[in-house]
Amino acid sequence: MIVRPKGTKDMLPEEAYKWQFLERIAAETASGFGFREIRTPVFEHTELFARGVGDTSDIVNKEMYTFLDKGNRSITLRPEGTAGVARAFLENGLAGGAMPFKVYYLISAFRYERPQAGRLREFHQFGAELYGAEGAYADAEAISLADAFLKNLGLKKVALRINSIGCPHCRAKYHEALKAYFAPRLDEMCADCKTRFDKNPMRMLDCKEENCKKIASDAPRMLDYLCDDCRAHFDQVKNLLDLASVPYTVDPSIVRGLDYYSRTVFEFVSDAAGAQGTVLGGGRYDTLLSQLGSKEVPAVGFAAGMERLLMVMNAENAPFGKEIATECYLLGMDEKSREKAFLLATELRRAGVSAETDLMERSVKAQFKYADKIGAHCVAVIGESELSEGAAEVKDMKTSASEKVNFKELAQYLIGRRSL
Ligand code: HAM
């Protein structure tokens, strides 16, 4: 038997309604904030991610699904959504449209990581991006949208942590301080950190190796090196979050795993997301669009991991709504009634009522069993006498009560039952 590739998951019909719930809440919450949907390709030119996500990030260095296509182009399955949205924004000349530009997306993304609970090689994100606004209001709006989404899912135990990692200007000084701190300890650190030391010492704070983590825990904090503008920006973000009653804690250890961030960074974390505590992460990235060749366009956004959200929702017993079951199963007892059942099912569907009927020429008993298995609300039984009366015997599958309903009134009758 051929099995699915490591780090991927099948989304079975039993789970699908949970995904649909997550996706619906995501779309509704984003629309409520004036964000519109965007869909971009699953694969892009490799260079987009190398330039966009950054060549000192683990994602670009170790985790990308990159291959040469038949035209010898280097192609990469998207490891995240932000770079593709930025490319689409520039390529389609959207900077000339209404600003701020606010979009959301529901995507699959691919990273060659070591799979574990909450960490997959193909995973799904709900993300949102906001372009054109450099002030703290935009950061607060992005964070508020993320917070509203999690609240609308019914989650209560997800905590928001925020930090500022400054701008390229103040970060230069911080890098010097980090290098001074790490230099005498560099021998004890992993090979990756030795490279990071030269290329981007802030990445050393994000190393997953235990020993490196220990050394990094006492490193200088970016918050102590913020320039006046970055500090004022961060203070205003905090004020606006207070104003919007979005609770947070400042966590100076958050640096994020992608290179494009500046100023505000944030993560929503939960104990229930396995070893991978972060269910949603994001921040401001004012230099990404100019790195892709445009003039500077300030930007802020986030993405939530849907698989991790599902884990947290299950752990918190959050409600997914109900799976929509078939409203009426039409049961034909013999050949002639079977045809009538087929016709009635067609008519019910045209009237907007969900209906199923026998496709396997089963016995009455087997049809009842099937209707029960699929959770049909009612079974409309049609036999010889029902055909001559022009009415079906409609059985409520929960109470077992039944009543005769005229064929012509069946749709209205079933619609009327919805409020029961
Ligand atoms: P990220 O932190 O790399 O940020 O990913 C966002 C979320 O995706 C994570 O918090 C996590 O829930 C989920 N995630 C990431 N990797 C995996 C994985 N291997 N398996 C399962 N879930 C995963 C970004 O992707 C940025 N593009 C977010 C952003 C948008 N920043 C600004 N705009």
Side-chain angles (χ1 to χ4, degrees), residues 243-259:
L243 193 67
S245 305
V246 175
Y248 60 88
T249 44
V250 174
D251 180 347
S253 73
I254 292 180
V255 290
R256 308 278 301 129
L258 304 92
D259 287 351

Side-chain angles (χ1 to χ4, degrees), residues 27-309:
E28 283 175 6
T29 312
S31 302
F33 279 70
F35 285 64
R36 296 156 75 208
E37 188 179 4
I38 188 165
R39 298 187 191 199
T40 63
V42 170
F43 58 85
E44 298 271 2
H45 292 294
T46 303
E47 193 194 347
L48 173 69
F49 302 113
R51 271 215 261 163
V53 177
D55 57 7
T56 70
S57 67
D58 276 1
I59 295 178
V60 169
N61 277 329
K62 302 182 186 166
E63 297 168 1
M64 294 209 300
Y65 278 90
T66 297
F67 58 95
L68 287 180
D69 73 4
K70 292 194 192 331
N72 235 18
R73 300 171 198 92
S74 181
I75 295 290
T76 294
L77 301 184
R78 64 179 166 216
E80 55 102 56
T82 308
V85 171
R87 187 217 25 84
F89 174 81
L90 296 177
E91 188 171 344
N92 294 288
L94 301 181
M99 290 300 238
F101 173 77
K102 302 199 285 187
V103 287
Y104 76 89
Y105 49 84
L106 289 157
I107 60 166
S108 52
F110 307 85
R111 296 183 193 174
Y112 193 81
E113 295 196 80
R114 205 157 33 81
Q116 49 178 251
R119 200 207 276 157
L120 291 131
R121 291 182 174 170
E122 183 195 20
F123 60 99
H124 296 78
Q125 288 186 337
F126 159 53
E129 314 290 354
L130 190 161
Y131 293 171
E134 61 186 342
Y137 279 95
D139 308 52
E141 169 125 319
I143 297 173
S144 298
L145 168 56
D147 179 69
F149 167 58
L150 298 171
K151 287 210 170 92
N152 289 344
L153 288 179
L155 294 175
K156 298 200 169 67
K157 294 185 208 144
V158 180
L160 167 62
R161 301 202 182 139
I162 62 170
N163 189 24
S164 174
I165 55 167
C167 61
H169 170 67
C170 50
R171 211 174 309 145
K173 269 194 223 135
Y174 179 54
H175 279 176
E176 278 171 31
L178 278 181
K179 281 187 157 183
Y181 172 82
F182 282 121
R185 301 163 175 87
L186 204 54
D187 279 351
E188 303 160 51
M189 302 188 76
C190 72
D192 282 344
C193 276
K194 286 179 183 135
T195 315
R196 290 169 184 143
F197 182 86
D198 293 319
K199 280 189 160 175
N200 182 358
M202 217 167 72
R203 280 275 136 272
M204 298 169 83
L205 302 175
D206 208 24
C207 184
K208 287 159 193 142
E209 296 287 328
E210 274 316 312
N211 195 40
C212 299
K213 266 196 205 166
K214 219 159 70 200
I215 296 173
S217 64
D218 285 331
R221 306 291 200 185
M222 181 66 225
L223 277 184
D224 299 325
Y225 291 82
L226 291 183
C227 62
D228 290 346
D229 284 353
C230 287
R231 177 157 303 286
H233 183 96
F234 192 47
D235 285 343
Q236 202 186 352
V237 172
K238 289 187 285 182
N239 285 340
L240 291 169
L241 291 178
D242 290 338
L243 193 67
S245 305
V246 175
Y248 60 88
T249 44
V250 174
D251 180 347
S253 73
I254 292 180
V255 290
R256 308 278 301 129
L258 304 92
D259 287 351
Y260 48 59
Y261 293 110
S262 53
R263 294 195 161 169
T264 318
V265 286
F266 57 92
E267 291 183 349
F268 283 82
V269 295
S270 163
D271 293 342
Q276 315 300 318
T278 310
V279 292
L280 184 153
R284 177 165 279 285
Y285 52 100
D286 291 343
T287 52
L288 172 65
L289 281 106
S290 58
Q291 270 161 32
L292 298 179
S294 113
K295 63 177 176 40
E296 291 223 332
V297 180
V300 57
F302 67 81
M306 302 293 252
E307 285 82 1
R308 291 188 196 170
L309 279 175

